[in-house]
Amino acid sequence: QVQLVESGGGLVQAGGSLRLSCAASGRTFSNYIMGWHRQAPGKEREFVAVITRSGSNTYYADSVKGRFTISGDNARNTVYLQMNSLKPEDTAVYYCKIRDTGSATDYWGQGTQVTVSS
């Protein structure tokens, strides 16, 4: 049973920063990618950022490029999302996801709320 536990969400003023963490447990993947999606009220869930297991490749949504940084710690099976220069439109529930690239199976965390006030 794969478990993803997110932390680090909260309330911050526009221009501020937050760091999200996501720790994976329950099984070992031979190869995977980990990333973040978000869902704002009344909107569909959207991609934010992803990092490969090696950490050598990262990808970002255009809306967060230059402001967010994704990183990983393989020893701790943890992925981080450093969010700087936050905007009210970044307000959403942020979900961690791990994809087992061998089986193309996705596992999701329970989500953590990020609220940016203007």
Side-chain angles (χ1 to χ4, degrees), residues 12-92:
V12 65
Q13 287 188 332
S17 299
L18 285 174
R19 188 190 194 213
L20 305 183
S21 300
C22 174
S25 63
R27 62 169 288 189
T28 301
F29 299 97
S30 59
N31 201 9
Y32 61 84
I33 57 175
M34 287 187 77
W36 295 89
H37 287 63
R38 67 187 182 186
Q39 187 166 18
K43 295 187 177 181
E44 294 188 353
R45 193 172 296 188
E46 64 176 7
F47 166 77
V48 175
V50 68
I51 186 169
T52 55
R53 182 177 184 271
S54 66
S56 59
N57 292 298
T58 57
Y59 304 93
Y60 298 91
D62 288 343
S63 58
V64 306
K65 279 181 184 175
R67 301 187 298 121
F68 291 11
T69 303
I70 189 169
S71 61
D73 183 341
N74 286 340
R76 292 182 172 84
N77 293 322
T78 300
V79 65
Y80 305 97
L81 186 68
Q82 178 66 44
M83 306 185 295
N84 298 329
S85 302
L86 282 161
K87 304 175 181 179
E89 51 263 44
D90 294 317
T91 295

